[in-house]
Amino acid sequence: MRIVVLVSGTGSNLQAVIDAVQAGDLDIEIAAVGADRAGTYGVERSVAAGIETFVVDFKAYTDRSEWNAALTEAVAAYQPDVVVSSGFMRIVSPEFIDAFDGKYLNTHPALLPSFPGAHGVRDAMAYGVKVTGCTVHWADAGVDTGPIIAQEAVAIEDYDTEDTLHERIKVVERRLLVSTLASLAAKHAAARTI
Ligand code: GRF
């Protein structure tokens, strides 16, 4: 199973996938890692791991649809079976979703459909819920919407700040992403042997 991973930031979820592949625990090929801006640590990690990288810089485009088209083309060039949005902080166009129909996987640091959007951790704390968590789901053209694959709860403690809570969620999120990819890879392999 070939995957392309899209990142915008530090890429610790991506690192968990790289580590699992390198340890022989995850039978997938990371065909490439792409970013929406130059200089992300996620791309740096990928280069260090010998993975191909590309940047489709959002700020280099005046027209959002042109950026979307360029991103779609860049990802499609790697013919991925699954595209993973791993801390990729851009909303992609319906054309991108169509091009990777049923193949675009997203992770989100909250229990969807609660607290979608860029501040899922902050919004859960502000609401005052006592339990939040993370979600791995197939993404559609909405903001953090689409069929849910896996979720796990994380308790919010009185002493939590947004950062401490997000770090605890990310520990669970990394494990959930790797295990989801492992089961997708197993299904992919089984489908190929039929
Ligand atoms: C993750 O919690 C992801 O769900 C959210 O941003 C975080 C990215 O973390 N959208 P990292 O870049 O993988 O460290």
Side-chain angles (χ1 to χ4, degrees), residues 7-15 42 45 85-89 106-110 117-118 121 134-135 144 166-167 169-170 173-174 177:
V7 295
S8 294
T10 52
S12 66
N13 284 327
L14 162 68
Q15 187 67 55
R45 291 175 191 272
S85 161
S86 182
F88 188 58
M89 304 304 280
N106 184 40
T107 69
H108 182 73
V121 179
C134 58
T135 303
D144 298 319
H166 200 172
E167 271 317 308
I169 291 172
K170 279 167 72 167
E173 194 177 4
R174 290 174 201 131
L177 175 60

Side-chain angles (χ1 to χ4, degrees), residues 1-3 5 17 21 26-31 181-182 184-186:
M1 188 174 88
R2 287 166 64 79
I3 72 166
V5 183
V17 176
V21 171
L26 182 57
D27 188 17
I28 64 170
E29 183 193 344
I30 306 172
L181 287 171
L184 292 175

